[in-house]
Amino acid sequence: MLSQVVLALQLPFAMSPLLHFTNSRRRMGPWKNGWLLMTAGWSSAILITAMEVVVLSAHVEPHRHRRANR
């Protein structure tokens, strides 16, 4: 279970450099991502990051209140 959480948290850190690399005409030449794939890739990276922030904050918030009430 914990390993899946760690993998999910690392996903945006792997996606961002990969998208940046594959969107570079200098590095990829004629195989550079098109605008549709670039937009879908960055949108999914942003969505995944936002969902992780929401889920992580939802799990941290109850623990903060427990410590404050002690």
Side-chain angles (χ1 to χ4, degrees), residues 12 15-16 19 23 35-51:
M15 285 179 71
S16 298
L19 286 167
N23 287 331
W35 69 270
L36 183 61
L37 188 57
M38 181 180 64
T39 304
W42 283 110
S43 297
S44 64
I46 291 168
L47 179 66
I48 289 169
T49 304
M51 288 176 10

Side-chain angles (χ1 to χ4, degrees), residues 2-15:
L2 181 60
S3 65
Q4 296 303 310
V5 172
V6 172
L7 287 173
L9 290 172
Q10 291 177 349
L11 185 59
F13 295 108
M15 285 179 71

Side-chain angles (χ1 to χ4, degrees), residues 7 13 20 28 34 38 52-53 57 61 66:
L7 287 173
F13 295 108
H20 186 51
M28 296 301 291
M38 181 180 64
E52 288 179 1
V53 167
S57 66
E61 190 65 28
R66 263 193 245 156

